Amino acid sequence: MERDGFVALVDAVASSLGIGAAAMMTFRTMIASTRPSALKRGPDEPCCYLSQNEIAHKRGVTACRIREHEAALVRAGLIEKRTMANGARSGFSGCGVFFGVAIARVDEFLCLRDEIEADRRAHARLRGQRSSHKRHLKGILCELVERHGLTAEVERIHQTFAEWPSGQALHRMSLEELQNHEAEAEALTISASNFLHETHDRPLENERFHIQDTTQDSNEVPCNDHVDTRSVGKPTQSIVSGPQPSGRVRCLERQDGAASEAHKSKFIQNLGSDRLYDLCSEEMKMWLDIERQKRGRLDFHAFVIAAQKRLPELGIHPSAWEEAVNLLGEDAAMLCVLITDAKVADPEATILSAGGYLRGMVRAQRKGTLNIMGSLIGLNERSRRRQ
């Protein structure tokens, strides 16, 4: 391993070893004074012979800070100090700061780096799923309030939703905390979706509104107006303002490039969830079966979550999904993943990189040449021929 590669490896796992940024800078300064070849071959162990004062001068800090950093690095098992009785360091006497203890742990550090990277990817995936839950729940709340007003059940859902942490706060959560929050967010979203489905044709005129005082400050709930997703453009977003004297709420339109209607999709409505399910790969169907079991049915949100869970299995970087969502909207992005996944599973198709194929669909959309419906028709025709 080259010296720079070794330093990069230690830097990747430093936080897990309890090493802060300042102590890591001191580590870099010390190891930079060693011979690069000493890390790869030869009997000599890499060693820094610089005194603490010299290191402090290079770092622009006091010698006292360097002593603190060295003590932390020793505790973390990254360096070993062998000095004279008076603390002196000398290449002639073989006294200094040695890095053999860290080099001996390279395999351990490689495993730890892989674990950290896996946790980072899992964290990013969970944040993406929470974002989908949030968009979906906003649309459901908008429709519930528009149809029935702020009933007790709608107000309960809204209050719970309002307590969700912000997107920035998600980054500060541990993986376990985020897993618990995402599970709670999904449960609330499914509960709200089922409530909307159950009350879709049932009038609620006899239910008492939880909020009757129209003079109080309103809690705004963003929602999305009806959008023709075939245009794959940026739709209009609305804001649900406070309850009106009639007990209803008023939607105020605004154009700001919001995401498409999150709780229902024309693609799903026109194709039908069962027909779309038949076009999926077996792996995608497994995730959809799990979502169906949770919800009791397949809706648009189930397809979105299943698509997101397929991303790491396909080796697609989360940034490719985010790019697709930002440009196409969540429904079209989900269909792009579904098409990519189905073609990867097709023995007649040769897809070298699922991520590259998805990004290619995004580039086609920018050029105005993307034809999602044509791709779905092609998948349907291949499915019919095999049957």
Side-chain angles (χ1 to χ4, degrees), residues 84-138:
M84 298 180 184
N86 61 355
R89 304 169 185 179
S90 170
F92 296 103
S93 58
C95 295
V97 176
F98 292 82
F99 299 91
V101 289
I103 295 172
R105 300 174 65 188
V106 164
D107 290 338
E108 176 192 343
F109 291 163
L110 288 171
C111 293
L112 181 57
R113 184 184 64 181
D114 291 342
E115 292 175 5
I116 293 171
E117 180 61 21
D119 287 347
R120 187 193 65 80
R121 290 194 297 266
H123 204 280
R125 178 177 56 82
L126 288 169
R127 293 198 307 271
Q129 289 177 202
R130 206 305 291 262
S131 180
S132 293
H133 297 325
K134 185 175 182 179
R135 282 192 291 266
H136 188 62
L137 187 52
K138 282 180 180 179

Coordinates of all heavy atoms in Angstrom, one line a residue, residues 84-138:
M84 N 13.9 8.6 24.2 CA 14.9 8.5 25.2 C 14.3 8.9 26.6 O 13.2 9.3 26.7 CB 16.1 9.4 24.9 CG 16.8 9.0 23.6 SD 18.2 10.2 23.2 CE 18.7 9.6 21.6
A85 N 15.2 8.7 27.6 CA 14.7 9.0 29.0 C 14.2 10.5 29.1 O 13.2 10.7 29.8 CB 15.8 8.8 30.0
N86 N 14.8 11.4 28.4 CA 14.4 12.8 28.4 C 13.4 13.1 27.4 O 13.1 14.3 27.2 CB 15.6 13.7 28.3 CG 16.3 13.5 26.9 OD1 16.0 12.6 26.2 ND2 17.4 14.3 26.7
G87 N 12.9 12.1 26.7 CA 11.8 12.3 25.7 C 12.4 12.7 24.3 O 11.6 12.9 23.4
A88 N 13.7 12.7 24.2 CA 14.3 13.0 22.9 C 14.1 12.0 21.8 O 13.9 10.8 22.1 CB 15.8 13.3 23.1
R89 N 14.1 12.4 20.6 CA 13.9 11.5 19.4 C 15.1 11.7 18.5 O 15.5 12.8 18.2 CB 12.6 11.8 18.7 CG 11.4 11.8 19.6 CD 10.2 12.3 18.9 NE 9.0 12.4 19.8 CZ 7.8 12.8 19.5 NH1 7.6 13.3 18.3 NH2 6.9 12.8 20.4
S90 N 15.6 10.6 18.0 CA 16.8 10.7 17.2 C 16.9 9.5 16.3 O 16.7 8.3 16.7 CB 18.1 10.7 18.0 OG 19.3 10.6 17.2
G91 N 17.2 9.7 15.0 CA 17.3 8.6 14.0 C 18.6 7.8 14.3 O 18.6 6.6 14.0
F92 N 19.6 8.4 15.0 CA 20.8 7.6 15.2 C 20.6 6.6 16.3 O 21.2 5.5 16.3 CB 21.9 8.6 15.7 CG 22.3 9.6 14.6 CD1 21.9 10.9 14.6 CD2 23.1 9.2 13.5 CE1 22.2 11.8 13.6 CE2 23.5 10.0 12.5 CZ 23.0 11.3 12.5
S93 N 19.7 6.9 17.3 CA 19.5 6.0 18.4 C 18.2 5.2 18.2 O 17.8 4.4 19.0 CB 19.4 6.8 19.7 OG 18.3 7.7 19.6
G94 N 17.5 5.4 17.1 CA 16.3 4.6 16.8 C 15.1 5.0 17.7 O 14.3 4.1 18.0
C95 N 15.0 6.3 18.1 CA 13.9 6.7 18.9 C 13.1 7.7 18.2 O 13.6 8.6 17.5 CB 14.5 7.4 20.2 SG 15.4 6.2 21.3
G96 N 11.8 7.5 18.3 CA 10.8 8.4 17.6 C 9.4 7.9 17.7 O 9.1 7.1 18.6
V97 N 8.6 8.3 16.8 CA 7.2 7.9 16.7 C 7.1 6.8 15.5 O 7.4 7.2 14.4 CB 6.2 9.1 16.4 CG1 4.8 8.6 16.2 CG2 6.3 10.1 17.6
F98 N 6.7 5.6 15.9 CA 6.7 4.5 14.9 C 5.2 4.2 14.5 O 4.3 4.3 15.3 CB 7.4 3.3 15.5 CG 8.8 3.4 15.7 CD1 9.4 4.1 16.8 CD2 9.7 3.0 14.7 CE1 10.7 4.2 16.9 CE2 11.1 3.1 14.8 CZ 11.6 3.8 16.0
F99 N 5.1 3.7 13.3 CA 3.7 3.5 12.7 C 3.5 2.0 12.5 O 2.5 1.7 11.8 CB 3.6 4.3 11.4 CG 3.7 5.8 11.6 CD1 4.9 6.4 11.5 CD2 2.6 6.5 11.9 CE1 5.0 7.8 11.7 CE2 2.7 7.9 12.1 CZ 3.9 8.5 12.0
G100 N 4.3 1.2 12.9 CA 4.1 -0.3 12.7 C 2.8 -0.8 13.3 O 2.2 -1.7 12.7
V101 N 2.4 -0.3 14.4 CA 1.2 -0.8 15.1 C 0.0 -0.5 14.2 O -1.0 -1.3 14.1 CB 1.0 -0.2 16.4 CG1 2.0 -0.7 17.4 CG2 1.1 1.4 16.4
A102 N 0.0 0.6 13.5 CA -1.1 0.9 12.6 C -1.1 0.1 11.3 O -2.1 -0.4 10.8 CB -1.1 2.4 12.3
I103 N 0.2 -0.1 10.8 CA 0.3 -0.9 9.6 C -0.1 -2.3 9.8 O -0.7 -2.9 8.9 CB 1.8 -0.8 9.1 CG1 2.1 0.6 8.7 CG2 2.0 -1.8 7.9 CD1 3.6 0.8 8.4
A104 N 0.1 -2.8 11.0 CA -0.3 -4.2 11.3 C -1.8 -4.3 11.3 O -2.3 -5.5 11.3 CB 0.3 -4.6 12.6
R105 N -2.5 -3.2 11.4 CA -4.0 -3.3 11.5 C -4.7 -2.9 10.2 O -5.9 -2.6 10.2 CB -4.5 -2.3 12.6 CG -3.9 -2.6 14.0 CD -4.3 -1.5 15.0 NE -5.8 -1.5 15.2 CZ -6.4 -0.6 15.9 NH1 -5.7 0.4 16.5 NH2 -7.7 -0.6 16.1
V106 N -4.0 -3.0 9.1 CA -4.5 -2.6 7.8 C -5.8 -3.4 7.5 O -6.8 -2.9 7.1 CB -3.5 -2.7 6.7 CG1 -4.2 -2.7 5.3 CG2 -2.5 -1.6 6.8
D107 N -5.7 -4.7 7.7 CA -6.9 -5.6 7.3 C -8.1 -5.2 8.2 O -9.2 -5.2 7.7 CB -6.5 -7.1 7.5 CG -5.5 -7.6 6.5 OD1 -5.5 -7.0 5.4 OD2 -4.9 -8.6 6.8
E108 N -7.8 -4.9 9.5 CA -8.9 -4.5 10.4 C -9.5 -3.2 9.9 O -10.7 -3.0 9.9 CB -8.3 -4.3 11.8 CG -9.3 -3.8 12.8 CD -8.7 -3.4 14.1 OE1 -7.5 -3.8 14.4 OE2 -9.3 -2.6 14.9
F109 N -8.6 -2.2 9.5 CA -9.1 -0.9 9.0 C -9.9 -1.1 7.7 O -10.9 -0.4 7.5 CB -7.9 0.0 8.8 CG -7.2 0.4 10.1 CD1 -6.0 1.0 10.1 CD2 -7.9 0.3 11.3 CE1 -5.3 1.4 11.2 CE2 -7.2 0.7 12.5 CZ -6.0 1.2 12.5
L110 N -9.5 -2.0 6.9 CA -10.2 -2.2 5.6 C -11.6 -2.7 5.9 O -12.6 -2.2 5.3 CB -9.5 -3.2 4.7 CG -8.2 -2.7 4.1 CD1 -7.4 -3.8 3.4 CD2 -8.5 -1.6 3.1
C111 N -11.7 -3.6 6.8 CA -13.1 -4.2 7.2 C -13.9 -3.1 7.8 O -15.1 -2.9 7.5 CB -13.0 -5.3 8.1 SG -12.2 -6.8 7.4
L112 N -13.3 -2.3 8.7 CA -14.0 -1.2 9.4 C -14.5 -0.1 8.3 O -15.6 0.4 8.4 CB -13.1 -0.5 10.4 CG -13.7 0.6 11.2 CD1 -15.0 0.2 12.0 CD2 -12.7 1.1 12.3
R113 N -13.6 0.2 7.4 CA -14.0 1.1 6.3 C -15.2 0.6 5.5 O -16.1 1.4 5.2 CB -12.8 1.4 5.4 CG -13.1 2.5 4.3 CD -12.0 2.7 3.4 NE -11.7 1.4 2.6 CZ -10.7 1.3 1.7 NH1 -9.9 2.3 1.5 NH2 -10.6 0.2 1.0
D114 N -15.2 -0.7 5.2 CA -16.3 -1.2 4.5 C -17.6 -1.1 5.3 O -18.7 -0.8 4.7 CB -16.1 -2.7 4.1 CG -14.9 -2.8 3.1 OD1 -14.6 -1.8 2.4 OD2 -14.4 -3.9 3.0
E115 N -17.5 -1.4 6.6 CA -18.7 -1.3 7.5 C -19.2 0.2 7.5 O -20.4 0.4 7.5 CB -18.3 -1.8 8.9 CG -18.1 -3.2 9.0 CD -17.6 -3.6 10.4 OE1 -17.6 -2.8 11.3 OE2 -17.3 -4.8 10.5
I116 N -18.3 1.1 7.6 CA -18.6 2.5 7.7 C -19.3 2.9 6.4 O -20.3 3.6 6.4 CB -17.4 3.4 8.0 CG1 -16.9 3.2 9.4 CG2 -17.7 4.9 7.8 CD1 -15.5 3.8 9.6
E117 N -18.8 2.5 5.3 CA -19.4 2.8 4.0 C -20.7 2.2 3.8 O -21.7 2.8 3.3 CB -18.4 2.4 2.8 CG -18.9 2.7 1.4 CD -19.1 4.1 1.2 OE1 -18.5 5.0 1.9 OE2 -19.8 4.5 0.2
A118 N -20.9 1.0 4.3 CA -22.2 0.3 4.2 C -23.2 1.1 5.1 O -24.4 1.3 4.6 CB -22.1 -1.1 4.6
D119 N -22.8 1.5 6.2 CA -23.7 2.3 7.1 C -24.1 3.6 6.5 O -25.2 4.1 6.6 CB -23.1 2.5 8.5 CG -23.0 1.2 9.3 OD1 -23.7 0.3 9.0 OD2 -22.3 1.2 10.3
R120 N -23.1 4.2 5.8 CA -23.3 5.5 5.2 C -24.4 5.4 4.0 O -25.3 6.2 3.9 CB -22.0 6.1 4.6 CG -22.1 7.5 4.0 CD -20.9 7.9 3.3 NE -20.8 7.0 2.1 CZ -21.4 7.2 1.0 NH1 -22.3 8.2 0.9 NH2 -21.2 6.4 -0.1
R121 N -24.2 4.3 3.3 CA -25.2 4.1 2.2 C -26.6 3.7 2.7 O -27.6 4.2 2.2 CB -24.7 2.9 1.3 CG -23.5 3.2 0.4 CD -23.3 2.2 -0.7 NE -23.0 0.9 -0.1 CZ -21.8 0.4 0.1 NH1 -20.8 1.1 -0.2 NH2 -21.7 -0.8 0.6
A122 N -26.6 2.9 3.8 CA -27.9 2.6 4.4 C -28.5 3.9 5.0 O -29.8 4.1 4.9 CB -27.7 1.6 5.5
H123 N -27.7 4.8 5.6 CA -28.2 6.0 6.1 C -28.8 6.9 5.0 O -29.9 7.4 5.1 CB -27.1 6.8 6.8 CG -27.5 7.8 7.8 ND1 -28.0 9.0 7.5 CD2 -27.6 7.7 9.2 CE1 -28.3 9.7 8.6 NE2 -28.1 8.9 9.7
A124 N -28.1 7.0 3.9 CA -28.6 7.8 2.7 C -29.9 7.2 2.2 O -30.8 7.9 1.8 CB -27.5 7.8 1.6
R125 N -30.0 5.8 2.1 CA -31.2 5.2 1.6 C -32.4 5.5 2.5 O -33.5 5.7 2.0 CB -30.9 3.7 1.5 CG -32.1 2.9 1.0 CD -31.8 1.4 0.8 NE -31.3 0.8 2.1 CZ -32.1 0.4 3.1 NH1 -33.4 0.5 3.0 NH2 -31.5 -0.1 4.2
L126 N -32.2 5.4 3.8 CA -33.3 5.6 4.7 C -33.7 7.1 4.7 O -34.9 7.4 4.8 CB -32.8 5.3 6.2 CG -32.6 3.8 6.5 CD1 -31.9 3.6 7.8 CD2 -34.0 3.1 6.5
R127 N -32.8 8.0 4.5 CA -33.2 9.4 4.3 C -34.0 9.6 3.1 O -35.0 10.4 3.1 CB -31.9 10.3 4.3 CG -31.1 10.4 5.6 CD -30.2 11.6 5.6 NE -29.4 11.7 4.4 CZ -28.2 11.1 4.3 NH1 -27.7 10.4 5.3 NH2 -27.5 11.3 3.2
G128 N -33.6 8.9 2.0 CA -34.4 9.0 0.8 C -35.8 8.4 1.0 O -36.8 9.0 0.5
Q129 N -35.9 7.3 1.7 CA -37.3 6.7 1.9 C -38.1 7.7 2.8 O -39.3 7.8 2.6 CB -37.1 5.4 2.6 CG -36.6 4.3 1.6 CD -36.3 3.0 2.3 OE1 -35.5 2.2 1.8 NE2 -37.0 2.7 3.4
R130 N -37.5 8.3 3.8 CA -38.2 9.2 4.7 C -38.7 10.4 3.8 O -39.8 10.9 4.0 CB -37.3 9.7 5.8 CG -38.0 10.2 7.1 CD -39.1 11.2 6.9 NE -38.5 12.5 6.6 CZ -38.3 13.5 7.5 NH1 -38.5 13.3 8.7 NH2 -37.8 14.7 7.0
S131 N -37.9 10.8 2.9 CA -38.3 11.9 2.0 C -39.5 11.5 1.2 O -40.4 12.3 1.0 CB -37.1 12.3 1.1 OG -37.5 13.4 0.2
S132 N -39.5 10.3 0.7 CA -40.7 9.8 -0.1 C -41.9 9.7 0.8 O -43.0 10.1 0.4 CB -40.4 8.4 -0.7 OG -39.4 8.5 -1.6
H133 N -41.8 9.2 2.0 CA -42.9 9.2 3.0 C -43.4 10.6 3.2 O -44.7 10.8 3.2 CB -42.5 8.6 4.3 CG -42.0 7.2 4.2 ND1 -42.5 6.2 3.4 CD2 -41.0 6.5 4.9 CE1 -41.9 5.1 3.5 NE2 -41.0 5.2 4.5
K134 N -42.5 11.5 3.3 CA -43.0 12.9 3.6 C -43.8 13.5 2.4 O -44.8 14.1 2.6 CB -41.8 13.8 3.9 CG -42.1 15.2 4.3 CD -40.8 16.0 4.7 CE -41.2 17.4 5.1 NZ -39.9 18.1 5.5
R135 N -43.3 13.3 1.2 CA -44.0 13.8 0.0 C -45.3 13.1 -0.1 O -46.4 13.7 -0.4 CB -43.2 13.5 -1.2 CG -42.0 14.5 -1.5 CD -41.5 14.4 -2.9 NE -40.8 13.1 -3.0 CZ -39.5 13.0 -2.8 NH1 -38.7 14.0 -2.5 NH2 -38.9 11.8 -3.1
H136 N -45.4 11.8 0.1 CA -46.6 11.0 0.0 C -47.6 11.5 1.0 O -48.8 11.7 0.7 CB -46.3 9.6 0.2 CG -47.4 8.6 -0.1 ND1 -48.0 8.6 -1.4 CD2 -48.1 7.8 0.7 CE1 -49.0 7.7 -1.3 NE2 -49.0 7.2 -0.1
L137 N -47.2 11.7 2.3 CA -48.1 12.0 3.3 C -48.6 13.5 3.2 O -49.8 13.7 3.5 CB -47.4 11.9 4.7 CG -48.3 12.1 6.0 CD1 -49.5 11.2 5.9 CD2 -47.5 11.8 7.2
K138 N -47.8 14.4 2.6 CA -48.3 15.7 2.3 C -49.5 15.7 1.4 O -50.5 16.3 1.6 CB -47.2 16.5 1.7 CG -46.1 17.1 2.7 CD -45.1 17.9 2.0 CE -44.1 18.4 2.9 NZ -43.0 19.2 2.2

